[in-house]
Amino acid sequence: MTTDTDGTARQDREYHELRLVLLLLTLVVGLLITAAAIYLACMHPALAQPLGVGAAVLSALPGVAGVIGRALRR
């Protein structure tokens, strides 16, 4: 019995480029959002504390999503 594993390797390579593009696009969008938040905090100091709270919540979300994803996989 022989199995052809070349098809899956080629398909994985094709999706590798797509994953890289999506990762870079996500990074650029994240940097733009960060720059906008910094600009707002500098131009409107009254918004600094609400923006800080929002940033703290957003930075905690990936960790929570990772824990939930890991628990669901088990």
Side-chain angles (χ1 to χ4, degrees):
M1 180 180 211
T2 61
T3 58
D4 184 21
T5 59
D6 186 41
T8 58
R10 181 177 35 168
Q11 193 176 35
D12 188 43
R13 270 185 261 125
E14 291 173 2
Y15 288 126
H16 179 71
E17 292 176 2
L18 179 63
R19 283 186 221 136
L20 180 62
V21 169
L22 285 175
L23 178 67
L24 291 174
L25 182 63
T26 304
L27 180 64
V28 167
V29 169
L31 287 173
L32 284 172
I33 291 171
T34 303
I38 291 171
Y39 173 78
L40 276 175
C42 288
M43 292 295 138
H44 305 285
L47 293 176
Q49 190 169 1
L51 286 173
V53 171
V57 169
L58 284 177
S59 65
L61 285 178
V64 171
V67 169
I68 291 171
R70 187 172 293 198
L72 290 176
R73 275 189 249 144
R74 288 186 182 186

